[in-house]
Amino acid sequence: MKKGFVTCIIIMALLASTGCGGKGTPGETGNSPETPATDSSAKESSSTPAGVTNEFFAAFFSGQDAEAFALLTPQAQEATQSSFSADASDTIRWTVGETEINDTTATVYVHVNDLNDEGNMASETLAFTLRNCEKQWRIAGFSTEGLLINFESQEITSSTPDMATEEEIKVGQLPDAPVLK
């Protein structure tokens, strides 16, 4: 199954082994939207998991490296510091959906629409896992269609039956991370 375009962008930007050189100052890419398109979830407080996730999307897809990077967990920042690079897009649209909170972790579902490689609008749902770090929600990773992406360890795990069970992946990678099918 071909993975979504947005998923590929986020994976490349966060887990690439090369640095951020040649990009210029964040936000000066020329193609980032003045106001990223979202729904009413933009009104979520930045102190909630949904609000942090929305802020991450707004910063990441506006090309604002520092702002997006600051919303990762300290472990994710350490693991991605030499490779993090936000990716401006003027075509992406997202809606922050349901949030599930479990003590010090949360899952936020984000419905994303963007152009695929063929230029057609494509949709996918991402489930972001956040941790409460020193009373602030921060992003640890996400999952989509059988993949778990752990920013803290820079691991990408497939949940296909040949690889591991969903429970093995949840326990080994991100606490309470859902595996989307």
Side-chain angles (χ1 to χ4, degrees):
M1 171 179 272
K2 184 177 178 182
K3 296 301 165 214
F5 187 67
V6 173
T7 301
C8 292
I9 290 172
I10 295 172
I11 291 170
M12 289 185 302
L14 291 172
L15 303 180
S17 61
T18 59
C20 308
K23 229 186 134 191
T25 304
E28 292 183 357
T29 59
N31 65 345
S32 68
E34 290 296 318
T35 304
T38 66
D39 69 343
S40 60
S41 62
K43 297 174 186 168
E44 277 283 346
S45 167
S46 62
S47 64
T48 66
V52 169
T53 303
N54 191 64
E55 283 184 27
F56 177 79
F57 264 74
F60 188 89
F61 289 109
S62 293
Q64 299 172 0
D65 290 356
E67 290 83 352
F69 185 79
L71 297 171
L72 300 177
T73 65
Q75 296 90 342
Q77 289 177 358
E78 184 176 324
T80 62
Q81 66 186 351
S82 65
S83 61
F84 186 87
S85 178
D87 191 30
S89 170
D90 59 357
T91 59
I92 191 167
R93 303 293 182 259
W94 67 89
T95 303
V96 174
E98 181 183 350
T99 299
E100 299 169 359
I101 300 175
N102 182 9
D103 293 329
T104 60
T105 62
T107 301
V108 178
Y109 296 89
V110 182
H111 308 286
V112 183
N113 296 303
D114 200 4
L115 298 176
N116 62 17
D117 293 337
E118 293 80 35
N120 300 315
M121 192 58 71
S123 298
E124 66 182 313
T125 299
L126 309 175
F128 275 78
T129 299
L130 289 82
R131 295 186 197 280
N132 195 320
C133 303
E134 298 178 18
K135 298 183 182 181
Q136 295 184 325
W137 290 103
R138 294 295 179 248
I139 294 173
F142 74 99
S143 65
T144 185
E145 298 180 20
L147 284 180
L148 282 171
I149 295 86
N150 184 338
F151 301 150
E152 295 175 339
S153 66
Q154 294 197 317
E155 292 179 353
I156 301 172
T157 307
S158 172
S159 67
T160 59
D162 297 341
M163 300 296 285
T165 67
E166 289 181 21
E167 192 59 35
E168 288 171 332
I169 291 169
K170 284 183 184 181
V171 171
Q173 301 302 317
L174 294 169
D176 302 318
V179 178
L180 300 179
K181 294 181 179 179

